[in-house]
Amino acid sequence: MLHHHGHIPPESVPLLLQKPANVLFVFDDLDQCKQSLDPSVHTLCSDPSQAASVSCLVASLLHGSLLKGAAFVVAARPTGSLTCLSGTKVEVLGFLKPQREAYFNGFFTDPAAANKARIHMERTLGFYDICTSPRFCWTVSSVYKSLMDAGAKLPETLSQLYVDILVHLVQTLSLNKACNRDLMLALGKMASHCVLDQHLSCTKEEMDSFGFQQFLTSVGVFLEVDVDQSDGRVFSFYSNLMQEFLLAVSFFLDKSMSEGVEKMLVKHNSRAKFLDLFLSGLSEPLQRRPLEILLGELNSDRIMDFNRWFKSSSEATLKGFYKDKHYHCFHLLHQAQNESLVKEIITPSARIGISYGDLSLQDCAALNYVVTCLGELEQLNLYRTRNLTEGQAEMLAPTMSLSHKISLSDSSLSTGAVPHLASALSRGLTKELNLSHTRLGDEKFKILCAGLRDCKLHTLILLVCRLTEAICEDLVSVLTSGTSQLCVLDMRFNEIGDQGFTKLCKALQSPLCKLQELQVQSCKLTAASMEALSGALCSGQSELRKVNLTQNAIGERGVEALCKSLQNPLCKLKSLNFFDSELTGACCPHFMEALMLEHCSLSELDLSVNDLGQEGALLLCQALRRPGCPIEKLSLKRCELTQSVFKALSTVLTSGTSQLKSLDVGINAVGDQGVKHLWDAVAQPICLLEELDVEMTGLTDACVEDLCAAIRASKTLKSLELRNNSLTNTSVPALVQVMQDSHNMLEMNLKYNDFGEEAFNMLDECEKIIY
């Protein structure tokens, strides 16, 4: 210490050794230490007079074996190399928004100027980590003040800021253009050396080799000059950012083409985070023009080389699925500030719809710039954003307002983010918003409703959002606002209960409500709220065409109430889903009564996973045979159907009056004999069936001859579901052949049958077969 630090008086050393508890050691930039400080790799010393290596001395001090009781402060950037240290860890946050505001207010004497400068910085630079640095805030304030005093435009990007900084620094030297250029080239060589060799500083000899001989009296403007341990001068850059910017400037200044941009970036990029961003900014004529006035024109060949590289690499990047590479491309475009370049690079083949979950603030700013240049975005996919903060939502608000679809499924939104989403919806183009699995909750949804009342939203998906009855009044207010365009509302798996649903049904009776599709699967509904739904459907005001009541305890009483509405000529319902809704055969007379009426408009009915049994199902078949029965799609999966029911369904399909095009009778154990009735029906030219699902009905190889005959004879059948049956390798040649020969069949699903591996090669021969 006495040898290397001349300011320590020799007489203080005995005091230090006698009372180490009075001593505080400060280790700054300890992460730059190249040697390991892990105690396991050293024999720690305890005697201050013992000779030891520097790394051993430092490790012995930090781990308490040398000068026991001494205190330490270690200042370092986050790094894994110091994990061996124990003690209290403090994260230095620097200037956050409130501190930056106070700083700008202190720097500028005019409050209006301070406010203008601060707002501009937060908008254009506030998303960079470097804004937490007081030194950077001083730099920005100084540049802004100079520009504002001159009536000049403030920089929009980091590249533009550093152009302004460099112009100011060069002007202070009052050198001619040739000298300015030579100085920049020398600084560029030094910057490259520091980046590649990870040197923080350079010696006088190294500076001479870079071409600084005539500039050593001027470099203090750009470099920090210190005295090293041997009393020689060492030179270092004030910041890594300026180091990288000067490297970019010197690359474009160099008249030689000894090294192309791609090679140069590969060489430097792993250690120079902003280098290609600065190159992108400098590649644009308007942005580099202030520098060219002082330095002369940059190398046009190198700029063209960069532009070629940028366009080709961006095209490849944006066709891929790596979101981090997409983000980096957006950052390059943001620095370039060229709207026509954005439109040239973001072509229809670019996969901009991939998930952009967990964007940083910097990423949000870059994406926002790109989308603003494009004017609109088909889909903003923020799937699995772990925490959409208020700052991110505020930054993304213009992008959200320009997006036709927004997906935030499996995401978490902070309370502060919701008002910005609501505001974007109210003034934007968004037609579809997906908030599935966001755990939104009642409080945040109520905030969102402010934007839902006056927006272009057509579809709102709220699947599993932890909503309750408490939000239903707000939802009614949205639906009856007169400005809401909402047509599709997906409320599945939210426990709104009968009381909440009854409130929603009041909205359905309003002539202002435009809702056409309502999904309320597993919403804790019972028969008690079906009267309210029936009343809405019969009101003559409801536009509802599709209702999904899956997995609610509807029962016979609920079915009876809804079937009354189906009999009403004012009811416009087309699709009704009662999947797993506690129905029995006793419900079927009500369905029969409704379907027998001429003005019934229902075309899709799903009664799957209900114990209808033979008697109930036969009553349904009776209604289906009525001339003019509108049912086109019928699902009776796992309804305890028998062979007699399958025979009755065959009669329906060949009646000449049936409109049935899709039939699902899977998971009914009727075997080959039962399903044979359907094969016979499909073979008839009068049958209109296009989709047939006989999954898990007990089919064996014995059915294949009838199955193939039906496919060959049918002119309409397109899709056949045969999963989970007992077909074996024996059936495969016939099934492959019939699918290859058929012109109308598009798909046959044979998954989970009893095929051996030897059958898979044959199945591969037909692309229309899934197995």
Side-chain angles (χ1 to χ4, degrees):
M1 286 165 55
L2 286 173
H3 178 68
H4 291 300
H5 298 280
H7 56 276
I8 298 177
E11 60 270 18
S12 65
V13 175
L15 293 172
L16 182 154
L17 298 174
Q18 290 165 16
K19 295 184 177 180
N22 291 351
V23 180
L24 171 68
F25 288 93
V26 179
F27 291 92
D28 196 10
D29 276 337
L30 194 61
D31 53 289
Q32 299 295 329
C33 181
K34 298 291 186 289
Q35 294 84 20
S36 172
L37 301 177
D38 191 326
S40 65
V41 302
H42 295 285
T43 302
L44 299 181
C45 60
S46 56
D47 182 358
S49 63
Q50 176 188 338
S53 67
V54 172
S55 59
C56 181
L57 283 174
V58 175
S60 300
L61 283 167
L62 290 172
H63 295 291
S65 67
L66 185 62
L67 297 186
K68 287 184 179 177
F72 305 91
V73 172
V74 174
R77 295 184 184 278
T79 173
S81 63
L82 301 179
T83 53
C84 60
L85 299 183
S86 59
T88 303
K89 288 182 175 63
V90 178
E91 184 182 359
V92 182
L93 298 175
F95 282 0
L96 302 181
K97 268 191 177 182
Q99 290 79 36
R100 292 200 287 268
E101 183 172 1
Y103 186 86
F104 274 76
N105 288 338
F107 189 95
F108 290 87
T109 53
D110 178 7
N115 194 48
K116 177 184 175 182
R118 180 186 59 80
I119 289 172
H120 186 84
M121 178 190 174
E122 293 297 345
R123 181 178 66 80
T124 58
L125 301 168
F127 38 84
Y128 290 110
D129 294 340
I130 48 173
C131 285
T132 59
S133 161
R135 175 191 280 181
F136 186 75
C137 289
W138 174 84
T139 302
V140 172
S141 299
S142 301
V143 172
Y144 280 14
K145 187 175 188 307
S146 173
L147 293 169
M148 288 163 74
D149 288 347
K153 188 182 177 206
L154 297 182
E156 286 293 321
T157 65
L158 197 62
S159 297
Q160 289 179 11
L161 173 69
Y162 272 83
V163 166
D164 289 331
I165 292 172
L166 190 54
V167 165
H168 172 73
L169 294 177
V170 171
Q171 285 174 336
T172 63
L173 296 176
S174 300
L175 300 174
N176 63 40
K177 193 176 286 188
C179 287
N180 287 338
R181 195 179 188 94
D182 289 342
L183 177 56
M184 292 303 109
L185 289 169
L187 286 165
K189 289 176 183 176
M190 177 186 173
S192 179
H193 171 77
C194 290
V195 170
L196 293 177
D197 295 340
Q198 292 187 286
H199 286 177
L200 295 177
S201 59
C202 295
T203 64
K204 165 72 166 54
E205 291 72 24
E206 288 172 323
M207 298 294 282
D208 288 344
S209 72
F210 302 142
F212 277 102
Q213 292 91 334
Q214 60 177 319
F215 301 116
L216 286 178
T217 56
S218 307
V219 293
V221 173
F222 300 96
L223 304 173
E224 201 167 357
V225 185
D226 288 314
V227 178
D228 68 4
Q229 297 169 1
S230 57
D231 295 331
R233 284 186 298 170
V234 292
F235 304 83
S236 58
F237 288 98
Y238 286 105
S239 73
N240 285 339
L241 272 175
M242 180 53 85
Q243 176 178 287
E244 292 183 31
F245 184 70
L246 286 166
L247 178 54
V249 170
S250 68
F251 177 76
F252 279 153
L253 269 178
D254 194 343
K255 292 296 184 184
S256 72
M257 277 299 286
S258 57
E259 186 176 59
V261 66
E262 189 166 7
K263 186 177 178 182
M264 182 262 203
L265 286 173
V266 168
K267 190 164 71 175
H268 292 88
N269 237 2
S270 61
R271 294 167 184 166
K273 183 179 175 184
F274 289 90
L275 178 57
D276 56 354
L277 299 180
F278 286 140
L279 289 172
S280 183
L282 291 168
S283 69
E284 286 302 312
L286 284 176
Q287 298 197 75
R288 66 176 183 264
R289 186 62 192 147
L291 274 179
E292 289 184 319
I293 293 170
L294 296 171
L295 308 176
E297 287 191 2
L298 304 190
N299 187 335
S300 59
D301 289 335
R302 286 201 158 184
I303 291 170
M304 287 170 61
D305 184 37
F306 174 83
N307 289 335
R308 278 193 299 269
W309 167 83
F310 181 29
K311 288 174 185 176
S312 63
S313 63
S314 297
E315 185 179 344
T317 292
L318 294 174
K319 285 180 180 177
F321 294 94
Y322 295 100
K323 63 181 181 181
D324 290 340
K325 291 185 177 181
H326 280 226
Y327 298 162
H328 194 69
C329 178
F330 299 155
H331 286 297
L332 292 170
L333 288 167
H334 180 222
Q335 292 301 315
Q337 292 287 297
N338 183 333
E339 184 176 324
S340 61
L341 181 64
V342 173
K343 292 176 178 176
E344 184 180 344
I345 285 176
I346 310 292
T347 61
S349 63
R351 289 193 169 97
I352 304 299
I354 69 167
S355 172
Y356 291 146
D358 287 332
L359 292 152
S360 68
L361 270 178
Q362 283 175 248
D363 299 329
C364 292
L367 176 61
N368 198 58
Y369 170 75
V370 167
V371 174
T372 303
C373 288
L374 293 172
E376 62 179 346
L377 186 65
E378 183 58 34
Q379 173 167 281
L380 176 62
N381 187 349
L382 299 175
Y383 171 68
R384 282 196 174 171
T385 296
R386 279 172 286 190
N387 181 30
L388 186 69
T389 65
E390 181 176 359
Q392 289 170 321
E394 183 178 8
M395 188 74 73
L396 280 175
T399 293
M400 291 192 285
S401 67
L402 291 171
S403 301
H404 292 287
K405 296 179 182 178
I406 300 174
S407 176
L408 279 158
S409 60
D410 274 320
S411 297
S412 176
L413 283 71
S414 68
T415 302
V418 180
H420 295 291
L421 174 58
S423 176
L425 291 172
S426 66
R427 64 174 189 269
L429 307 174
T430 309
K431 295 284 184 70
E432 181 178 312
L433 176 62
N434 186 347
L435 294 170
S436 313
H437 300 277
T438 53
R439 303 173 292 284
L440 195 65
D442 294 344
E443 181 187 346
K444 293 176 191 174
F445 183 75
K446 286 171 180 278
I447 299 170
L448 183 65
C449 283
L452 296 177
R453 288 187 183 91
D454 186 16
C455 67
K456 295 182 175 68
L457 209 63
H458 176 279
T459 301
L460 178 60
I461 303 172
L462 299 168
L463 171 71
V464 195
C465 281
R466 295 186 182 175
L467 305 180
T468 69
E469 177 201 341
I471 58 92
C472 290
E473 285 288 0
D474 297 272
L475 203 46
V476 168
S477 173
V478 169
L479 293 170
T480 58
S481 64
T483 50
S484 169
Q485 305 294 313
L486 208 58
C487 295
V488 178
L489 178 61
D490 187 343
M491 296 281 292
R492 288 176 293 165
F493 298 96
N494 290 289
E495 296 185 3
I496 60 173
D498 286 325
Q499 288 184 312
F501 188 62
T502 300
K503 291 174 184 175
L504 277 184
C505 290
K506 289 180 182 175
L508 299 175
Q509 298 185 43
S510 167
L512 299 175
C513 178
K514 298 179 176 67
L515 211 60
Q516 295 180 16
E517 180 177 335
L518 182 58
Q519 301 274 346
V520 283
Q521 176 180 352
S522 200
C523 284
K524 298 288 182 183
L525 308 185
T526 70
S529 56
M530 293 303 107
E531 285 285 358
L533 177 57
S534 181
L537 293 170
C538 296
S539 65
Q541 303 293 342
S542 173
E543 296 295 324
L544 263 187
R545 301 290 193 275
K546 184 174 184 176
V547 178
N548 181 359
L549 295 164
T550 293
Q551 293 173 326
N552 288 293
I554 306 301
E556 183 190 353
R557 196 161 61 88
V559 168
E560 183 180 7
L562 285 173
C563 282
K564 285 180 183 174
S565 66
L566 294 177
Q567 297 173 48
N568 192 306
L570 296 175
C571 177
K572 300 170 185 173
L573 205 63
K574 298 284 186 185
S575 175
L576 194 50
N577 192 334
F578 287 107
F579 184 102
D580 192 15
S581 293
E582 300 185 11
L583 311 190
T584 66
C587 300
C588 292
H590 303 300
F591 287 119
M592 178 185 173
E593 188 177 357
L595 293 173
M596 291 297 284
L597 294 178
E598 287 185 9
H599 48 252
C600 177
S601 59
L602 199 67
S603 59
E604 295 183 11
L605 180 61
D606 191 339
L607 301 174
S608 298
V609 194
N610 290 291
D611 293 336
L612 303 184
Q614 176 174 300
E615 188 178 345
L618 288 174
L619 287 174
L620 271 180
C621 291
Q622 192 176 329
L624 293 171
R625 282 198 298 271
R626 175 185 71 81
C629 178
I631 296 292
E632 295 181 6
K633 185 174 183 178
L634 179 64
S635 296
L636 298 170
K637 188 184 290 285
R638 216 217 75 182
C639 284
E640 305 297 324
L641 306 185
T642 64
Q643 290 189 20
S644 298
V645 175
F646 273 62
K647 184 178 181 181
L649 286 169
S650 174
T651 307
V652 170
L653 292 170
T654 56
S655 63
T657 58
S658 169
Q659 303 298 311
L660 264 180
K661 294 178 181 176
S662 176
L663 178 61
D664 182 352
V665 286
I667 320 182
N668 289 289
V670 295
D672 293 331
Q673 285 300 110
V675 180
K676 185 181 188 307
H677 296 296
L678 298 184
W679 302 140
D680 291 343
V682 169
Q684 299 299 316
I686 206 167
C687 175
L688 304 178
L689 210 60
E690 296 176 3
E691 299 173 354
L692 178 59
D693 185 336
V694 286
E695 175 190 1
M696 205 184 289
T697 49
L699 297 179
T700 70
D701 294 334
C703 78
V704 172
E705 186 177 344
D706 292 323
L707 185 162
C708 292
I711 291 176
R712 287 195 180 92
S714 174
K715 296 291 186 285
T716 59
L717 195 65
K718 296 176 182 177
S719 173
L720 185 55
E721 184 68 64
L722 295 165
R723 285 182 302 168
N724 291 297
N725 282 295
S726 301
L727 303 175
T728 71
N729 292 6
T730 307
S731 303
V732 171
L735 293 173
V736 169
Q737 188 64 53
V738 77
M739 286 298 287
Q740 288 175 333
D741 293 344
S742 174
H743 297 297
N744 46 283
M745 276 294 289
L746 302 177
E747 182 178 285
M748 177 186 286
N749 194 334
L750 293 170
K751 282 187 173 184
Y752 315 121
N753 277 275
D754 295 337
F755 301 132
E757 286 191 22
E758 57 271 25
F760 296 154
N761 287 335
M762 282 189 286
L763 291 168
D764 278 336
E765 293 174 11
C766 184
E767 294 180 353
K768 297 191 282 185
I769 294 179
I770 302 168
Y771 67 92

